[in-house]
Structures are given as C-alpha cells and as structure tokens.
Amino acid sequence: MRRRRRYYEPEDLGYEQDLRDAADPNRRFFVYVLDTDYGHYVGHTAHVGRRLREHQDGETESTAGGNPTLAWRSGPMDTRADAASFEAALKSLRDQRSPRFREYTGLGPVPYANPSMSALRSSSRQGSYRRRRDGHPHDDWFARFLRREIRGLFRSQRKRRMWGAIAVGIVLLVVYASNGGC
C-alpha cells in the first residue's frame, strides 16, 4: 500500500502568516466543507464568508467551476495548527469513506476529485503520457482546461479581466499587422 503524503505541513504557513496570527490573539479558525461538482472540499480559514466568496468567484483554482456551496462549518478553534490538523483528519475520513465523517459533519463522505489534479495524478503514475488513439497526448487535458476557464469566466471577475486584456492585445496586434506593421 502506498503511503499518503501529509495534507498539511506547519512550515507551509510561512513567517508572515505566523506574525499575522500572533498579531490578533482573539482570532479564531474554522474548518469548513464545501459541496462541489467534484465532491466535498475540506479547508480551514479564519474568515469563512470571505473564503466562501473566493471559492465561488473562481479565485481558488481547486474549486473553480465546481459550483461550491457551504455544506458544513466547525466551531471556532484557538490556533491555526488545531484547525489544520482537524482539516487533515476530516480529509482522511472523507477519502476513506468513513462513517465518522458523517458523525462529525452530518454529510455523506464524497471524496474530492479535482479534474485538473486527477489528470496530473493519473499521468504521473504511469510515468509517461497517455496518448489518445485519435490525437495529441494533451487533447484531453486541454479540453478540460478550456471548459474550466470558460466556466470560470462566468464566476470570476479576475478571470474576466485577464481574458479581456488578452483579447484586447490580440485585436491590437491584428490591427497593427493589417496596417503593415507601421
């Protein structure tokens, strides 16, 4: 059996995050579960409402285009480390489809399968690209990428700005080229 890497490493937070957490000793942290098209996403934050808006606006890559809605939220926890370890425990229970996940959250355990990450995992396990019979090895990945970006355009103001700037650049390039490059 292959050993799972840890979901959370304390050093991932960085020095700046430690300073922000120490600056407000009354800050409380929450673990939350989102119901998405890809399954149940588990995370932790100090601001559940703001984090939910980020997920719904497509600013979080892992849930972009997945129609995330808040399904459950824990009670307040004193430290980020407590919230992160509880998050890791919930993810493990969810992935094992344990009945204890339902005891904690009241939700059936639906493992989270982010389409962009599952494509990377499946190709890395085989050690080489999987080639479709009728085309390029990246055809499936690119089609999924386009679908996710198009869905994200309807949810994320940041993506609309980015793609709008790209479109304006292309139009200006075409106008410049049609005028003979003057």
Side-chain angles (χ1 to χ4, degrees):
M1 185 169 150
R2 199 170 132 193
R3 187 173 171 170
R4 176 188 295 269
R5 70 175 177 83
R6 293 179 63 180
Y7 284 108
Y8 163 75
E9 295 292 335
E11 58 270 10
D12 288 348
L13 296 176
Y15 181 70
E16 293 84 14
Q17 186 65 56
D18 292 337
L19 289 177
R20 282 195 302 271
D21 291 346
D24 184 6
N26 296 324
R27 179 177 285 176
R28 299 293 176 250
F29 299 93
F30 301 89
V31 176
Y32 61 94
V33 177
L34 298 179
D35 188 23
T36 71
D37 294 345
Y38 314 126
H40 287 139
Y41 177 88
V42 180
H44 75 276
T45 185
H47 306 282
V48 177
R50 180 173 66 197
R51 188 70 176 133
L52 178 61
R53 277 192 305 279
E54 289 172 1
H55 282 289
Q56 290 174 336
D57 290 344
E59 295 176 18
T60 306
E61 185 178 330
S62 56
T63 57
N67 300 318
T69 57
L70 183 65
W72 179 83
R73 180 186 65 115
S74 73
M77 296 180 192
D78 291 333
T79 65
R80 185 179 296 275
D82 290 343
S85 62
F86 185 55
E87 173 192 353
L90 271 183
K91 285 180 177 180
S92 180
L93 292 173
R94 173 203 64 196
D95 292 345
Q96 295 171 12
R97 299 178 194 258
S98 172
R100 290 185 62 203
F101 185 84
R102 185 183 302 269
E103 291 173 18
Y104 286 121
T105 64
L107 304 167
V110 180
Y112 186 73
N114 187 346
S116 62
M117 293 307 292
S118 61
L120 291 175
R121 281 189 211 114
S122 65
S123 66
S124 65
R125 272 191 222 129
Q126 293 181 356
S128 64
Y129 294 114
R130 279 192 289 175
R131 182 175 291 278
R132 288 181 51 186
R133 289 188 187 130
D134 59 345
H136 194 268
H138 300 292
D139 284 350
D140 290 336
W141 173 84
F142 189 68
R144 282 193 303 269
F145 167 77
L146 282 178
R147 280 195 301 271
R148 189 173 67 238
E149 285 297 313
I150 290 169
R151 278 191 304 236
L153 284 174
F154 296 106
R155 292 186 178 83
S156 170
Q157 185 176 8
R158 186 181 73 181
K159 283 192 178 184
R160 282 194 300 273
R161 283 187 194 137
M162 178 190 70
W163 284 108
I166 290 171
V168 167
I170 290 172
V171 167
L172 290 175
L173 212 99
V174 167
V175 168
Y176 180 75
S178 66
N179 288 336
C182 304

